[in-house]
Amino acid sequence: MFKKMFRNYDYSIIIALVLLCSIGLVMVYSASVITAVSRYDFAPDHFYQRQKLSLIIGALVFFVTMIVPYQLYARFIKGILALVVVGLFLVSLFGHVSNNAASWLRFGGLSIQPSEFVKLAIVLYLAMVLEKRQPYLNDFKRAFTGPVLIVIFLTGLIAVQPDFGTAMIVLGIAAAVLLCSGINKYTFRKFLALGVGCILVILPVAWMTGYISPTRIARVTTMLDPFKDASGEGFQLVNAYIAMGSGGFFGAGLGQSVQKYGYLPESHTDAIIAIIAEELGFVGVATVLFLLAFIIIKTLLLAKKCQDVYGSLICIGIATTIGIQAFFNLGGITGVIPLTGVPLPFVSYGGTSILLLLASMGIVVNISMFTNYRSKKAQGEESPLRAVDSKEESSF
């Protein structure tokens, strides 16, 4: 049975993931070597070894989620949400402060960012709820009151850390899944009015409570003119521009970056695309962007092809997660939007991010297997998954 199962996976997604994670691992080493030497007693491979370990664990998790039928997650979504909420509350009580946000839980040498788990949890939850509510989906109050309140609650817990970037990503993911669930134009207008109303309420409250601080305002003004304070608030953005501008078409060569010698902060996390541009040039950046776009587009095409609402909405949510996170990272480092500290998916250094992204893509590959199998079954081929694809499956 397993042999027949493996024939139905979409291996093009797996190949793209392997290539992208491999490029990320190499570039994490190159971008972090100077920082690692200065911080960790001349251990140039400190970040590389941690990233490699994260990728190994992530690969194991990917394999598990690739095998486990995606329909099973609907049974455990309440427990998943409960664990996520507990994690966010623990962060508020015992969180480790990094980059002005208490977003991390530390256990010895291990760091976990619970807000990353919210991204996948909210996708699985909304997909399950919206599939069940298809018969009355355009009854706004009945269908969406509960999901909207849960999204606001989780986003609020993230925002108070404060981690505005992740909170915006979660809201974007939720909006994409809700708007793609099959609502009509009248329900869409109600969501639009709700969104505008929330903004009109949140902005004054954030201003009066000091959440919109001078530091956050400076990020916006710096985005508009980073050279006005090139040695202060605009330091990272200006040096990112220098790195990207000096790379040319083929780059200076792997390991030959100048900006990573203390000129570009967070060169292995937020600003890794600038180091890729400097060392590998336009070709390197184009390769990374192509692989990211390929994964996102293939996942969205799978959502269109998927025969059940639950699987389709999961694919939409995961594709949105990767797309928004990539936009926030690339937009921040190019000055299109303010810097948010969001890592580049599959490429930047970050164990929790890599783990959750690979777990998410394992679910996508599992959905591709079921979708391909059902397509072949419809054409009259023998079923390799009769035990799973049965009446019991349709009850989720």
Side-chain angles (χ1 to χ4, degrees), residues 242-312:
I242 294 171
M244 291 184 284
S246 63
F249 195 80
F250 293 107
L254 186 62
Q256 300 304 308
S257 167
V258 174
Q259 295 305 112
K260 67 185 180 186
Y261 283 82
Y263 298 105
L264 184 58
E266 309 300 333
S267 57
H268 57 298
T269 54
D270 307 359
I272 196 166
I273 196 67
I275 301 299
I276 293 173
E278 186 180 9
E279 296 189 352
L280 304 181
F282 172 81
V283 174
V285 173
T287 301
V288 170
L289 296 184
F290 171 79
L291 290 171
L292 281 170
F294 179 84
I295 291 169
I296 294 168
I297 292 170
K298 286 287 288 186
T299 305
L300 290 174
L301 291 175
L302 178 60
K304 184 178 180 181
K305 186 180 177 183
C306 190
Q307 297 175 9
D308 66 289
V309 174
Y310 181 60
S312 181

Side-chain angles (χ1 to χ4, degrees), residues 162-199:
D163 187 352
F164 187 69
T166 302
M168 290 296 293
I169 290 173
V170 171
L171 282 178
I173 294 166
V177 176
L178 290 168
L179 296 177
C180 292
S181 61
I183 60 175
N184 60 27
K185 62 180 180 180
Y186 302 106
T187 308
F188 173 79
R189 289 172 184 171
K190 290 179 180 178
F191 270 115
L192 186 61
L194 177 64
V196 172
C198 287
I199 291 172

Side-chain angles (χ1 to χ4, degrees), residues 169-250:
I169 290 173
V170 171
L171 282 178
I173 294 166
V177 176
L178 290 168
L179 296 177
C180 292
S181 61
I183 60 175
N184 60 27
K185 62 180 180 180
Y186 302 106
T187 308
F188 173 79
R189 289 172 184 171
K190 290 179 180 178
F191 270 115
L192 186 61
L194 177 64
V196 172
C198 287
I199 291 172
L200 293 176
V201 171
I202 290 171
L203 285 180
V205 171
W207 179 267
M208 289 185 292
T209 56
Y211 186 83
I212 301 179
S213 62
T215 302
R216 291 187 173 87
I217 295 173
R219 289 187 181 184
V220 177
T221 56
T222 298
M223 172 196 73
L224 299 174
D225 187 7
F227 292 93
K228 186 176 180 180
D229 187 16
S231 60
E233 293 292 341
F235 185 78
Q236 182 173 15
L237 202 51
V238 167
N239 282 283
Y241 288 166
I242 294 171
M244 291 184 284
S246 63
F249 195 80
F250 293 107

Side-chain angles (χ1 to χ4, degrees), residues 105-152:
L105 288 176
R106 282 198 169 179
F107 306 95
L110 178 66
S111 297
I112 298 175
Q113 190 175 7
S115 59
E116 289 291 325
F117 292 84
V118 177
K119 299 173 186 176
L120 181 56
I122 207 69
V123 169
L124 296 175
Y125 165 71
L126 290 176
M128 182 271 292
V129 169
L130 295 174
E131 182 191 43
K132 289 184 176 180
R133 301 185 181 185
Q134 287 296 304
Y136 52 93
L137 195 63
N138 290 304
D139 183 343
F140 185 86
K141 184 177 180 180
R142 185 181 177 193
F144 295 107
T145 301
V148 168
L149 289 175
I150 287 177
V151 169
I152 292 173

